[in-house]
Amino acid sequence: MKRFLRVFKNTTVKIFSFVLFIAFIASIFIFKDFYLSQWHKTLSFYYVYLGDNYYKKHKPQKAINSYVKALNLYPKHYRAQYNLANLYVVYEDYYSALDAYSKALSLRPDFTVARIDYAIVLSEATFNYDRAIEEYNLAIEKIPKWVYIPFIVDNKHSYKHNKGVAYYNQGLAWRGKSLLNGEDLFLSRRFLENAVDSYEKALKSLKTYDVYYNLAIAHHLLKNPEHAGYYYCKAIEKEPMKYEAHYNLAILLKGMKRYADSIEEFKKAGLILDTKGNSNKTRYIYDVLNEVNQKYAVSEEYENLRERLDEEEKAGKKEVTYVKGKMLVVDEFDGAMIKNFKTCANKQYFEAGIKD
């Protein structure tokens, strides 16, 4: 009886194993498309992995080839589409980039970073400002809301940052649209006001030099000198060694006939460019500076300053220099200039102006 049970048991196991094998073979024929698609998907992820490594090693063409192979095997890989779009931008193949971004977004509509990059290329490369502005609005609407689970997830920073980036770039698109419609003064001004609105929204979460600087330019173009000056000053506080904010502030002050302050900012811009070896821009700045110096020399402001210097000299004081409206001994000059680069001429006037 025991022998019979043992033989029966072995036979049952063999039959069951045979049936499973037959079922597996049958499933291959029945579900071959499914198995093939899973194999292609697995192989696709491998090519994406290769593409990412090539991307990190600064081998863009090999990265492109890998992403293309991945997408041929599995076209729904939205990350591969996005990375491929970024590489097309590197090669300045903007229409291929737009196509790849569009495909990535069709696969994942809430892919915020891809939508912002898509809008940037639309705006900066193809000057399709209307479509870009629409995409920025969509990006802002679809940014995942702030989620906070203690010790697990806190995406507050990325949420605020992405929103700020979208608003900032939307401001650039509005400004570009304003310049494009420069002949229509009403439309141009309205678009600039929209740019100001976008920049101000960006500032709620993105307090950077670029946002302050571009907000200042928008106010400058709108002929709002107090606001323009205030935001140039904020930009200078963030990045004191970038010449553009100093230069544009000098132009603003020149237009306001505040020649002494204008000269100070022109000098800063020239010194910064001198250190970078940019002789052409430096020469231009000093040409403008000479013009302002000539206007300053015949102004009442200059006469008042000269009288003050003469009085100090007669009083037997140490050699002095004039920085930001203050008399400083020469020994203090170097330290004062370093600190001075981080501030801007006429700051208190601008601050008072925007509070009125």
CSV table of all heavy atoms in Angstrom, one decimal, residues 112 115-116 119 129-143 163 166-167 169-171 174 197-198 201:
chain,number,residue,atom,x,y,z
A,112,THR,N,5.7,69.1,-14.5
A,112,THR,CA,5.8,70.6,-14.4
A,112,THR,C,7.1,71.1,-15.0
A,112,THR,O,7.1,72.1,-15.8
A,112,THR,CB,5.8,71.0,-13.0
A,112,THR,OG1,4.5,70.6,-12.4
A,112,THR,CG2,5.8,72.6,-12.8
A,115,ARG,N,7.0,71.1,-18.8
A,115,ARG,CA,6.1,72.1,-19.3
A,115,ARG,C,6.8,73.4,-19.3
A,115,ARG,O,6.7,74.2,-20.2
A,115,ARG,CB,4.8,72.1,-18.6
A,115,ARG,CG,3.7,72.9,-19.3
A,115,ARG,CD,2.4,72.8,-18.7
A,115,ARG,NE,1.8,71.4,-18.8
A,115,ARG,CZ,1.2,70.9,-19.8
A,115,ARG,NH1,1.1,71.7,-20.9
A,115,ARG,NH2,0.8,69.7,-19.8
A,116,ILE,N,7.5,73.7,-18.2
A,116,ILE,CA,8.2,75.0,-18.1
A,116,ILE,C,9.3,75.1,-19.2
A,116,ILE,O,9.5,76.1,-19.9
A,116,ILE,CB,8.8,75.2,-16.7
A,116,ILE,CG1,7.7,75.4,-15.7
A,116,ILE,CG2,9.8,76.4,-16.7
A,116,ILE,CD1,8.2,75.5,-14.2
A,119,ALA,N,7.8,75.7,-22.5
A,119,ALA,CA,7.4,77.1,-22.7
A,119,ALA,C,8.6,78.0,-23.0
A,119,ALA,O,8.5,78.9,-23.8
A,119,ALA,CB,6.6,77.5,-21.5
A,129,TYR,N,5.2,83.7,-28.2
A,129,TYR,CA,4.9,84.2,-26.8
A,129,TYR,C,3.6,83.8,-26.3
A,129,TYR,O,3.4,83.4,-25.1
A,129,TYR,CB,5.1,85.7,-26.7
A,129,TYR,CG,6.5,86.1,-27.1
A,129,TYR,CD1,6.8,87.0,-28.1
A,129,TYR,CD2,7.6,85.7,-26.3
A,129,TYR,CE1,8.1,87.4,-28.4
A,129,TYR,CE2,8.9,86.1,-26.6
A,129,TYR,CZ,9.1,86.9,-27.7
A,129,TYR,OH,10.4,87.3,-28.0
A,130,ASP,N,2.6,83.9,-27.2
A,130,ASP,CA,1.2,83.6,-26.7
A,130,ASP,C,1.1,82.1,-26.2
A,130,ASP,O,0.5,81.8,-25.2
A,130,ASP,CB,0.2,83.8,-27.9
A,130,ASP,CG,0.0,85.3,-28.2
A,130,ASP,OD1,0.1,86.1,-27.3
A,130,ASP,OD2,-0.2,85.6,-29.4
A,131,ARG,N,1.6,81.2,-27.0
A,131,ARG,CA,1.6,79.8,-26.6
A,131,ARG,C,2.4,79.5,-25.4
A,131,ARG,O,2.0,78.8,-24.5
A,131,ARG,CB,2.1,78.9,-27.8
A,131,ARG,CG,2.1,77.4,-27.5
A,131,ARG,CD,0.7,76.8,-27.4
A,131,ARG,NE,0.7,75.5,-27.0
A,131,ARG,CZ,1.0,74.4,-27.8
A,131,ARG,NH1,1.3,74.7,-29.1
A,131,ARG,NH2,1.0,73.2,-27.4
A,132,ALA,N,3.5,80.2,-25.3
A,132,ALA,CA,4.4,80.1,-24.1
A,132,ALA,C,3.7,80.5,-22.8
A,132,ALA,O,3.7,79.8,-21.8
A,132,ALA,CB,5.7,80.9,-24.3
A,133,ILE,N,3.0,81.7,-22.9
A,133,ILE,CA,2.3,82.2,-21.7
A,133,ILE,C,1.2,81.2,-21.3
A,133,ILE,O,0.9,81.0,-20.1
A,133,ILE,CB,1.7,83.6,-22.1
A,133,ILE,CG1,2.8,84.6,-22.2
A,133,ILE,CG2,0.7,84.0,-21.0
A,133,ILE,CD1,2.5,85.9,-22.8
A,134,GLU,N,0.5,80.6,-22.3
A,134,GLU,CA,-0.5,79.6,-22.0
A,134,GLU,C,0.1,78.4,-21.2
A,134,GLU,O,-0.5,77.9,-20.3
A,134,GLU,CB,-1.2,79.1,-23.3
A,134,GLU,CG,-2.1,80.2,-23.9
A,134,GLU,CD,-2.7,79.7,-25.3
A,134,GLU,OE1,-2.5,78.5,-25.6
A,134,GLU,OE2,-3.3,80.5,-26.0
A,135,GLU,N,1.3,78.0,-21.7
A,135,GLU,CA,1.9,76.8,-21.1
A,135,GLU,C,2.4,77.1,-19.7
A,135,GLU,O,2.3,76.3,-18.8
A,135,GLU,CB,3.1,76.4,-22.0
A,135,GLU,CG,2.7,75.8,-23.3
A,135,GLU,CD,1.9,74.5,-23.2
A,135,GLU,OE1,2.1,73.7,-22.2
A,135,GLU,OE2,1.1,74.2,-24.0
A,136,TYR,N,2.8,78.4,-19.5
A,136,TYR,CA,3.2,78.7,-18.1
A,136,TYR,C,2.0,78.7,-17.2
A,136,TYR,O,2.1,78.3,-16.0
A,136,TYR,CB,3.9,80.1,-18.1
A,136,TYR,CG,5.3,80.2,-18.7
A,136,TYR,CD1,5.6,81.1,-19.7
A,136,TYR,CD2,6.3,79.3,-18.3
A,136,TYR,CE1,6.9,81.2,-20.2
A,136,TYR,CE2,7.5,79.4,-18.8
A,136,TYR,CZ,7.8,80.3,-19.8
A,136,TYR,OH,9.1,80.3,-20.3
A,137,ASN,N,0.9,79.2,-17.7
A,137,ASN,CA,-0.4,79.1,-16.9
A,137,ASN,C,-0.7,77.7,-16.5
A,137,ASN,O,-1.1,77.4,-15.4
A,137,ASN,CB,-1.5,79.8,-17.6
A,137,ASN,CG,-1.4,81.3,-17.6
A,137,ASN,OD1,-0.9,81.9,-16.6
A,137,ASN,ND2,-1.9,82.0,-18.6
A,138,LEU,N,-0.6,76.8,-17.5
A,138,LEU,CA,-0.9,75.4,-17.3
A,138,LEU,C,0.1,74.8,-16.3
A,138,LEU,O,-0.3,74.0,-15.4
A,138,LEU,CB,-0.8,74.6,-18.6
A,138,LEU,CG,-2.0,74.7,-19.5
A,138,LEU,CD1,-1.7,74.0,-20.9
A,138,LEU,CD2,-3.2,74.0,-18.9
A,139,ALA,N,1.4,75.2,-16.4
A,139,ALA,CA,2.4,74.7,-15.5
A,139,ALA,C,2.0,75.1,-14.0
A,139,ALA,O,2.1,74.3,-13.1
A,139,ALA,CB,3.8,75.2,-15.8
A,140,ILE,N,1.6,76.3,-13.9
A,140,ILE,CA,1.3,76.9,-12.5
A,140,ILE,C,0.0,76.1,-12.0
A,140,ILE,O,0.0,75.8,-10.8
A,140,ILE,CB,1.0,78.4,-12.6
A,140,ILE,CG1,2.3,79.1,-12.9
A,140,ILE,CG2,0.4,78.9,-11.3
A,140,ILE,CD1,2.2,80.5,-13.4
A,141,GLU,N,-0.9,75.9,-12.8
A,141,GLU,CA,-2.2,75.2,-12.4
A,141,GLU,C,-1.9,73.7,-12.0
A,141,GLU,O,-2.5,73.2,-11.1
A,141,GLU,CB,-3.2,75.2,-13.6
A,141,GLU,CG,-3.8,76.6,-13.8
A,141,GLU,CD,-4.7,76.6,-15.1
A,141,GLU,OE1,-4.9,75.5,-15.6
A,141,GLU,OE2,-5.1,77.6,-15.5
A,142,LYS,N,-0.9,73.1,-12.8
A,142,LYS,CA,-0.7,71.7,-12.6
A,142,LYS,C,0.4,71.3,-11.6
A,142,LYS,O,0.8,70.2,-11.4
A,142,LYS,CB,-0.5,71.0,-13.9
A,142,LYS,CG,-1.7,71.0,-14.8
A,142,LYS,CD,-1.4,70.2,-16.1
A,142,LYS,CE,-2.7,70.2,-17.0
A,142,LYS,NZ,-3.8,69.4,-16.4
A,143,ILE,N,1.1,72.4,-11.0
A,143,ILE,CA,2.1,72.1,-10.1
A,143,ILE,C,1.5,71.3,-8.9
A,143,ILE,O,0.5,71.8,-8.3
A,143,ILE,CB,2.8,73.4,-9.6
A,143,ILE,CG1,3.6,74.0,-10.7
A,143,ILE,CG2,3.7,73.1,-8.4
A,143,ILE,CD1,4.2,75.4,-10.4
A,163,LYS,N,6.9,77.1,-8.9
A,163,LYS,CA,5.9,78.1,-9.2
A,163,LYS,C,6.6,79.5,-9.5
A,163,LYS,O,6.2,80.2,-10.4
A,163,LYS,CB,5.0,78.3,-8.0
A,163,LYS,CG,3.7,79.1,-8.2
A,163,LYS,CD,2.7,78.9,-7.0
A,163,LYS,CE,1.4,79.6,-7.3
A,163,LYS,NZ,0.4,79.4,-6.2
A,166,ALA,N,8.1,79.4,-13.0
A,166,ALA,CA,7.1,79.6,-14.0
A,166,ALA,C,6.7,81.0,-14.2
A,166,ALA,O,6.6,81.6,-15.3
A,166,ALA,CB,5.9,78.7,-13.7
A,167,TYR,N,6.4,81.7,-13.0
A,167,TYR,CA,6.0,83.1,-13.1
A,167,TYR,C,7.1,84.0,-13.7
A,167,TYR,O,6.9,84.9,-14.4
A,167,TYR,CB,5.6,83.6,-11.7
A,167,TYR,CG,4.2,83.3,-11.3
A,167,TYR,CD1,3.9,82.6,-10.1
A,167,TYR,CD2,3.2,83.7,-12.1
A,167,TYR,CE1,2.6,82.4,-9.8
A,167,TYR,CE2,1.8,83.5,-11.8
A,167,TYR,CZ,1.5,82.8,-10.6
A,167,TYR,OH,0.2,82.6,-10.3
A,169,ASN,N,9.6,83.2,-15.8
A,169,ASN,CA,9.7,83.0,-17.2
A,169,ASN,C,8.5,83.5,-18.0
A,169,ASN,O,8.6,84.0,-19.1
A,169,ASN,CB,10.0,81.5,-17.6
A,169,ASN,CG,11.4,81.1,-17.3
A,169,ASN,OD1,12.3,81.4,-18.0
A,169,ASN,ND2,11.6,80.4,-16.2
A,170,GLN,N,7.3,83.5,-17.3
A,170,GLN,CA,6.2,84.1,-17.9
A,170,GLN,C,6.3,85.6,-18.1
A,170,GLN,O,5.9,86.2,-19.1
A,170,GLN,CB,4.9,83.8,-17.1
A,170,GLN,CG,3.6,84.2,-17.7
A,170,GLN,CD,2.4,83.9,-16.9
A,170,GLN,OE1,2.3,84.4,-15.7
A,170,GLN,NE2,1.5,83.1,-17.4
A,171,GLY,N,7.0,86.2,-17.1
A,171,GLY,CA,7.3,87.6,-17.2
A,171,GLY,C,8.2,87.9,-18.3
A,171,GLY,O,8.0,88.9,-19.0
A,174,TRP,N,6.1,87.9,-21.5
A,174,TRP,CA,5.3,89.1,-21.6
A,174,TRP,C,6.1,90.3,-22.1
A,174,TRP,O,5.7,91.1,-22.9
A,174,TRP,CB,4.6,89.5,-20.2
A,174,TRP,CG,3.4,88.7,-19.9
A,174,TRP,CD1,3.1,87.9,-18.9
A,174,TRP,CD2,2.1,88.7,-20.7
A,174,TRP,NE1,1.9,87.4,-18.9
A,174,TRP,CE2,1.2,87.9,-20.0
A,174,TRP,CE3,1.7,89.4,-21.8
A,174,TRP,CZ2,-0.1,87.7,-20.4
A,174,TRP,CZ3,0.4,89.2,-22.3
A,174,TRP,CH2,-0.5,88.3,-21.6
A,197,ASP,N,3.5,92.1,-13.2
A,197,ASP,CA,2.6,91.3,-12.4
A,197,ASP,C,3.2,89.9,-12.2
A,197,ASP,O,3.3,89.3,-11.1
A,197,ASP,CB,1.2,91.2,-13.0
A,197,ASP,CG,0.3,90.3,-12.1
A,197,ASP,OD1,0.0,90.7,-11.0
A,197,ASP,OD2,-0.2,89.3,-12.6
A,198,SER,N,3.7,89.3,-13.3
A,198,SER,CA,4.3,87.9,-13.2
A,198,SER,C,5.6,88.0,-12.4
A,198,SER,O,5.8,87.1,-11.6
A,198,SER,CB,4.6,87.4,-14.6
A,198,SER,OG,3.4,87.2,-15.4
A,201,LYS,N,4.8,88.1,-8.7
A,201,LYS,CA,4.4,86.8,-8.2
A,201,LYS,C,5.5,85.9,-8.0
A,201,LYS,O,5.6,85.1,-7.1
A,201,LYS,CB,3.3,86.2,-9.1
A,201,LYS,CG,2.0,86.9,-9.1
A,201,LYS,CD,1.0,86.4,-10.1
A,201,LYS,CE,-0.4,87.1,-10.0
A,201,LYS,NZ,-1.3,86.7,-11.1
